Amino acid sequence: MKVLTKLLLIHWHYFTHELIEFEGLNFLTGKNASGKSTIIDGMQLILLGDTSGSFFNKAASGRGNRTLKGYLLCELGDDPDSGFRYHRPSRFTSYVALEFFDEEKEKHFTAGCCFDVFSENDIQKLFFLYDGEIHPQGFLNSGTPIDIPGLRAFLRERYGGRSETTDIGREFRTKLYGRLGGLRDRFAGLLKKAVSFNPNVDIQQFISDFVCDSQMTVDVSHMQENIRSYKSLEYEAQVLQERISLLEHIVKTFGSYKVAQENETLYSFLIDRANADVKAEALSAAESESLALASGLEELALRIEGIDRRLAELRGQMDMLKAELLSNGEAQALEQIDRQIAGKEQEMLLLRSEYDKGKALLASRLGLWRRCAEAMLQKIDSANHALLQAGISSRASDLAAESRNF
C-alpha cells in the first residue's frame, strides 16, 4: 500500500512555506477561511494532474470560484476600480509536492509541480516525480525556492534516471497512478466527486451531479423512507438498550440477593452449630457434676451405714453395760455409755442433715441436667444433620442415646 506522508506548500495562497506531515488517519478541521480548502486543492492539483482550476474550492462553497492564478498570486479580492488585488505580484516560484511511502518496497517517492510566475499572465509549470523523500531544505536555495531550470538540474544531479519531469498534466497523472499501484483514470473522477460534497447542497442534485455517471432523475423517496426507518430503529434500539440495562441491574440485584440468602443459610448453620456445641459442653459438665454428686452420696451412704453399725454395736454394749450395771450396780459406767450414745446420735443427725442436703443438691442438679438434656434432644432432633460435620453428628447422637437411657 502507498501511504501519503507529507505535503509541501511553497507560495501557495497564504502559505509561504509549509510542510505538513500525515500519519495514519488524519482529520482536517479549522475555522472558516483558515486554509482547509487551500490544502485540499493543493493535494487535488497533484493527484489529478490538472492545473485548470475547475475543481478548486468546491469542498467549501461548491462554486469553484478560485483559480490557479489566484492561489499562486494569493488573490486578496476584487477591487471595482483597480481589478483583482494580489499579495505576491512580483516574480516568484511556487511548489506543491506530495511525499508517499511504498510499504511493499519500503521506500519513499515524491510527486509535485513547480510554477515559475513571471507575471499575472505568464506562468510556467513543471510536474516532477522522483524516488526519495521531500528534500530536507524544501527545494530552497539560500531561503529562495529554486526555479524550473534549477529544479531540472537538481533532479538530474541527485536522482538521475530515478526522476521524471513533464509539463503535460495527463502524462504526469498516468505516471503517478502507475506509482500508486496502477490506478485507473476513473479514480480522478471519483476523487472530484468525493471531495466536492457540500452538506448544504440539495441531496437529489448532489447525487445527480456527483454520484451518477449520467444525468437522470433520481428518486430519493426510498432513501428518505430508509432514513425515517433508521430513526425509528435507532429509537427502538435506545429503548431496548435501556431495557437491557434494567435487566442487567435486575440480574445483578438478584445475584446479590442469592449471595445474601446463601450467607444467611451459612450463618444460621454456624449459629446452630455453635449453640449445639455450647449445649453439648453444658450437658457434659452437668453429667460430670451429677456423677461427682452421686459418688459423694454413695460415700455418705456408706458412712451412714457404718455409723448405723457402730450405733448398733454401742447399743449392744449399752445393753450389756446396763446388764452389768444391774448386776454390779455401777451407775457411772452406764451414764458414760449414755453420753457416748447421745454423742453418736447427735453425730448421726448431723450426717443425716448433710446427706439430705447432698441429696437435695443432687436432685436439683439432676433436674437441671434433665431440662438441658431434653432441650438438647429437641434441638438435635430438629437440626439438619446433613449440614453438621460427621464427628459432631455422631457425638450428638451418642449424647442423645445416653440422655434417654439415663
Side-chain angles (χ1 to χ4, degrees):
M1 186 170 65
K2 283 69 177 176
V3 181
L4 177 63
T5 54
K6 293 178 184 178
L7 167 65
L8 175 65
L9 298 174
I10 299 177
H11 291 159
W12 182 255
H13 208 228
Y14 290 111
F15 294 106
T16 301
H17 186 283
E18 192 71 30
L19 182 62
I20 303 173
E21 296 186 2
F22 301 98
E23 182 177 353
L25 183 62
N26 300 272
F27 294 92
L28 190 60
T29 62
K31 299 180 180 179
N32 291 337
S34 61
K36 301 186 297 297
S37 298
T38 302
I39 293 174
I40 292 175
D41 285 344
M43 296 172 63
Q44 286 191 99
L45 185 144
I46 303 302
L47 292 173
L48 299 177
D50 186 357
T51 58
S52 65
S54 60
F55 54 86
F56 284 159
N57 202 35
K58 286 198 174 185
S61 64
R63 298 186 300 271
N65 57 351
R66 291 185 183 177
T67 63
L68 176 63
K69 181 170 61 177
Y71 271 127
L72 295 175
L73 298 176
C74 190
E75 181 180 316
L76 300 177
D78 185 7
D79 192 325
D81 297 329
S82 60
F84 289 103
R85 294 179 294 110
Y86 301 106
H87 176 65
R88 59 175 79 90
S90 60
R91 194 228 181 277
F92 61 90
T93 299
S94 296
Y95 278 88
V96 178
L98 297 177
E99 176 189 286
F100 297 90
F101 179 71
D102 190 334
E103 294 182 338
E104 295 180 1
K105 298 180 180 180
E106 296 185 352
K107 65 179 182 178
H108 292 84
F109 66 91
T110 301
C113 187
C114 174
F115 298 93
D116 277 347
V117 181
F118 298 96
S119 66
E120 181 178 343
N121 298 315
D122 187 5
I123 301 175
Q124 298 180 7
K125 67 178 181 296
L126 180 68
F127 291 103
F128 58 89
L129 268 169
Y130 66 87
D131 293 332
E133 302 179 28
I134 291 179
H135 196 269
Q137 296 181 1
F139 304 104
L140 300 178
N141 184 13
S142 300
T144 303
I146 57 177
D147 56 12
I148 290 177
L151 175 62
R152 291 179 186 273
F154 169 77
L155 294 176
R156 284 196 303 269
E157 179 182 352
R158 178 174 291 269
Y159 299 101
R162 294 181 293 114
S163 64
E164 299 176 86
T165 59
T166 180
D167 57 358
I168 302 174
R170 176 173 291 275
E171 181 182 345
F172 166 77
R173 185 172 67 188
T174 301
K175 294 178 179 179
L176 175 60
Y177 286 5
R179 291 288 190 98
L180 292 175
L183 298 177
R184 298 182 180 179
D185 288 340
R186 181 176 172 79
F187 172 77
L190 294 175
L191 179 62
K192 291 179 183 179
K193 293 176 181 180
V195 173
S196 299
F197 178 71
N198 181 358
N200 298 321
V201 78
D202 178 72
I203 184 64
Q204 185 167 335
Q205 185 64 35
F206 173 80
I207 293 174
S208 299
D209 294 343
F210 297 104
V211 176
C212 298
D213 291 333
S214 60
Q215 296 295 327
M216 64 179 67
T217 302
V218 179
D219 183 8
V220 297
S221 59
H222 296 296
M223 182 183 298
Q224 292 172 343
E225 181 64 27
N226 289 336
I227 292 174
R228 285 191 290 268
S229 298
Y230 172 78
K231 289 294 184 182
S232 176
L233 291 174
E234 188 177 37
Y235 173 75
E236 292 179 4
Q238 183 179 0
V239 173
L240 289 175
Q241 185 61 42
E242 292 177 356
R243 291 180 179 178
I244 290 173
S245 299
L246 290 175
L247 288 174
E248 289 177 348
H249 178 69
I250 291 173
V251 170
K252 183 178 180 181
T253 303
F254 180 74
S256 301
Y257 164 75
K258 291 296 292 181
V259 171
Q261 189 178 43
E262 292 174 358
N263 290 337
E264 181 183 8
T265 302
L266 177 61
Y267 297 153
S268 297
F269 166 72
L270 293 176
I271 292 172
D272 292 341
R273 176 178 171 180
N275 291 333
D277 291 341
V278 171
K279 294 295 185 180
E281 292 179 359
L283 186 62
S284 178
E287 183 181 10
S288 300
E289 187 176 0
S290 299
L291 293 175
L293 290 175
S295 177
L297 288 176
E298 290 178 358
E299 291 180 0
L300 289 175
L302 291 175
R303 291 180 62 185
I304 291 172
E305 183 180 354
I307 291 174
D308 288 339
R309 287 197 299 271
R310 181 60 178 167
L311 181 61
E313 292 177 358
L314 290 175
R315 281 178 179 175
Q317 291 179 3
M318 181 183 69
D319 293 339
M320 291 176 63
L321 290 174
K322 281 183 178 180
E324 290 178 359
L325 180 61
L326 291 175
S327 62
N328 55 26
E330 296 180 355
Q332 292 181 355
L334 183 58
E335 289 178 357
Q336 184 177 2
I337 292 172
D338 288 335
R339 287 194 297 272
Q340 290 180 357
I341 291 172
K344 294 299 182 179
E345 289 178 347
Q346 186 66 29
E347 184 178 357
M348 187 176 68
L349 290 175
L350 291 175
L351 291 174
R352 285 188 178 277
S353 176
E354 185 176 356
Y355 172 81
D356 292 335
K357 290 180 179 180
K359 186 176 181 180
L361 180 60
L362 176 60
S364 175
R365 295 297 183 181
L366 287 173
L368 176 60
W369 179 84
R370 182 176 295 278
R371 288 193 296 275
C372 291
E374 290 175 353
M376 183 64 185
L377 290 173
Q378 294 176 359
K379 190 67 176 179
I380 291 174
D381 292 337
S382 63
N384 187 353
H385 289 275
L387 299 177
L388 296 176
Q389 296 179 1
I392 296 178
S393 177
S394 176
R395 177 55 181 163
S397 300
D398 295 342
L399 288 176
E402 292 177 3
S403 299
R404 291 191 181 94
N405 296 332
F406 187 76

